[in-house]
Structure formats: C-alpha cells, structure tokens
Amino acid sequence: MERIPVFILVILYFISIEIACNGHTHINNNVQYEQKALIDFKSGLMDPNNRLSSWKGSNYCYWQGIGCENGTGFVVSIDLRNPYPYPLENVYGNQSYMNLSGVISPSLIKLKYLKYLDLSFNSFKAIPIPQFFGSMKNLIYLNLSNCGFIGAIPSNLGNLSNLQYHLGANYVNLSMVGSQWVEVLNKLPILTKLHLDHCSLFGSIPSPSSINLTSLAVISISSNGFNSTFPEWLLNVSSLVSIDISWNELHGRIPLGLGELPNLQYLDLCWNDLHGKLMSSVKVDISLLIC
C-alpha cells in the first residue's frame, strides 16, 4: 500500500480548516443578521409591562416568544400573542394590560425562514395591516386577531402561497375593504382555517371567479354586516368542516346543496333571516339553526 505524500496531507489539512472556518463564519453571519432583525422589530414596539425583557444578549433563540431552527439559528416562529388580553387586577394592578403596541418594523422581512407569526390580542390601534406581510412567503400561520388593525387586506397577502394552517383577523376593522377580501383570500389554496369575525365587513359576500380554497376546513365570518343571500360558492368547497356566518343579515333560503357537503360537522347561521331545512344526513348541531 502506497503512502500518501506528506505535502498532499498538508494541503488537505488546510482545505479542511478553510471549509470549517467558512462554515463557522456563515453561521455567525446568520446569527448577527437574525438578531439585528429582531432588535429592529423590538425597537418599534411599546412594551409597558416589559414582556420582552428577555430580548437582550446574543442568544436570541431563548428570547421570549422566539423559536429557531436547530443548527442554523434561523428564526422560524414569533409568538407574541397577549397571554392576558383582559385586566387582571389581582396580578398586574387595576386596569393593567399586557398589550404590545407601536409600529411593526419591516425588518421582519429579513427573517427569511419565518413560518409562524402570532401578534393577536395586542393593541396596534388604527394602523393598517402592513403591506410587507405579503412578502413573507414562508409563513404557514398568521394570526392578527384582536390587534386593532384597520383598513384593507393587503392585496399581496394572496402571495402567501404557503399559508396553510390559519389566517386570523378577528376584530380587525376591515370596513374599507369592500368586496376584494374574497378574491385576495382565494389565492391561498392550502389555507385550512379562516377567521374574520367582528371585522365590520358588510354588503354581499361576493363569489370568486374560480374556487381555489380547496383545503379550507373552517370559515368563521360571524358578527359582520353581510346583507345578501347565502354565499352559494361555499357549496363548492367540499373540504369544509365548520361554517359560522351567524349574526349577520343574510336572507332567503338555505341552499339545499348545503346538506351535501361531505365533511360538514358544524353550521351556525343564527341571527339571520334565512329559512328552509337541511337534509338530515348532515352532521350538524340542529339547535344552531333555529335560534
């Protein structure tokens, strides 16, 4: 067996050192980049109860509400849902809230691997849903419920083709949206849950030009001001398990085809002016239909 010349071993040694150093430098760059994006995001927030007091030092993967991918340091989740959305007098003092407020920095765009974002039950009052959310293309979960946002749903939100599990915007004032909300959301073919309760939507529930919501299991659009007949395009969404359109001003007949949705288990049409019956084969709580 021939021996490997010493000079070749030396070359291989230095090559391995170079590769290791470059890899270490790459990871360090990732860490600094992700950390700076989070610090910039925090700088725009008002945090009167110091919920983000752990956001200091270099180990941001252990900061409150932050989740990272193992081995790379990439931020994959930000969960800043207000854990106490209502006053807890005995714990935090009279009329004390744990709300975050302020502005949402576009530095979040720099978190290229972010998949989960929950800002629900905070107080971003009277500011629009940021347009740049539509550029965060790796998001699979987005919850903006009860945040105080106002205005239109960004049209580019339909670019979030990976948004899969949940889109929540309850109590977001969408009164200026008009009828575009259906077309925007119809661009999310793998979305499974949609919650737009108490959003000041009104008028008719328009029919999209074609049905792309082929994975939608839950639609909840209660307590708005819809004044139209039942949106029959929902009959073409066979994946639906739960429909809640209660507390609106729907009128006319309950479509007979509603009873043929194969997966439907929950239906709430209370406090509308609808009439008619469903086929008995539908597995719903019938008491919800006669209130």
Side-chain angles (χ1 to χ4, degrees):
M1 180 177 176
E2 295 184 5
R3 292 185 177 182
I4 300 174
V6 174
F7 76 90
I8 293 180
L9 292 175
V10 172
I11 292 173
L12 291 175
Y13 172 77
F14 282 109
I15 289 174
S16 65
I17 293 294
E18 179 70 16
I19 292 173
C21 289
N22 285 341
H24 184 69
T25 301
H26 180 66
I27 292 174
N28 280 342
N29 288 341
N30 289 343
V31 167
Q32 294 173 4
Y33 195 75
E34 303 277 302
Q35 182 182 14
K36 185 177 187 308
L38 290 173
I39 291 173
D40 290 345
F41 169 57
K42 180 190 177 185
S43 68
L45 299 177
M46 298 178 65
D47 179 20
N49 286 286
N50 293 317
R51 285 177 53 196
L52 306 183
S53 59
S54 65
W55 285 40
K56 54 189 176 183
S58 59
N59 202 346
Y60 57 84
C61 292
Y62 290 92
W63 293 355
Q64 179 69 35
I66 301 301
C68 293
E69 183 180 70
N70 290 335
T72 65
F74 289 127
V75 176
V76 293
S77 68
I78 298 178
D79 184 357
L80 295 181
R81 176 186 177 92
N82 184 354
Y84 305 108
Y86 306 108
L88 297 178
E89 296 183 8
N90 295 331
V91 179
Y92 295 107
N94 189 33
Q95 297 299 311
S96 177
Y97 292 75
M98 298 290 284
N99 287 335
L100 298 173
S101 58
V103 297
I104 300 176
S105 170
S107 66
L108 288 180
I109 298 177
K110 298 177 181 179
L111 302 174
K112 301 293 186 182
Y113 296 87
L114 188 66
K115 297 179 180 179
Y116 181 106
L117 179 61
D118 191 340
L119 300 175
S120 59
F121 290 94
N122 286 293
S123 296
F124 301 104
K125 292 183 177 179
I127 64 173
I129 298 174
Q131 286 279 343
F132 68 81
F133 279 176
S135 299
M136 301 168 69
K137 295 185 179 180
N138 281 317
L139 282 179
I140 62 174
Y141 181 101
L142 178 62
N143 193 349
L144 306 177
S145 298
N146 298 73
C147 275
F149 289 119
I150 189 171
I153 298 175
S155 59
N156 64 349
L157 207 62
N159 295 336
L160 301 180
S161 57
N162 291 316
L163 200 62
Q164 178 177 354
Y165 297 114
H166 184 97
L167 175 59
N170 293 340
Y171 288 91
V172 174
N173 187 340
L174 300 177
S175 58
M176 294 185 288
V177 167
S179 60
Q180 63 146 342
W181 65 276
V182 173
E183 286 293 348
V184 171
L185 300 177
N186 190 46
K187 298 176 182 178
L188 306 173
I190 59 176
L191 183 68
T192 59
K193 295 181 181 180
L194 174 64
H195 293 269
L196 294 177
D197 304 313
H198 297 271
C199 286
S200 302
L201 294 166
F202 61 92
S204 64
I205 303 175
S207 176
S209 54
S210 61
I211 307 297
N212 295 321
L213 293 166
T214 53
S215 301
L216 191 64
V218 176
I219 181 169
S220 184
I221 50 176
S222 68
S223 301
N224 285 291
F226 295 121
N227 184 359
S228 66
T229 57
F230 185 92
E232 296 203 16
W233 59 269
L234 289 178
L235 307 185
N236 296 316
V237 186
S238 60
S239 56
L240 280 169
V241 174
S242 174
I243 300 174
D244 186 350
I245 318 182
S246 59
W247 293 89
N248 281 285
E249 300 175 34
L250 301 186
H251 53 81
R253 185 177 181 84
I254 298 173
L256 294 176
L258 192 56
E260 299 176 6
L261 285 172
N263 297 301
L264 190 64
Q265 297 177 14
Y266 180 89
L267 176 64
D268 191 346
L269 301 177
C270 288
W271 301 101
N272 287 288
D273 192 21
L274 295 165
H275 60 87
K277 295 182 179 180
L278 293 177
M279 296 175 61
S280 60
S281 61
V282 179
K283 298 177 181 178
V284 297
D285 186 344
I286 301 299
S287 65
L288 294 172
L289 305 177
I290 59 176
C291 51

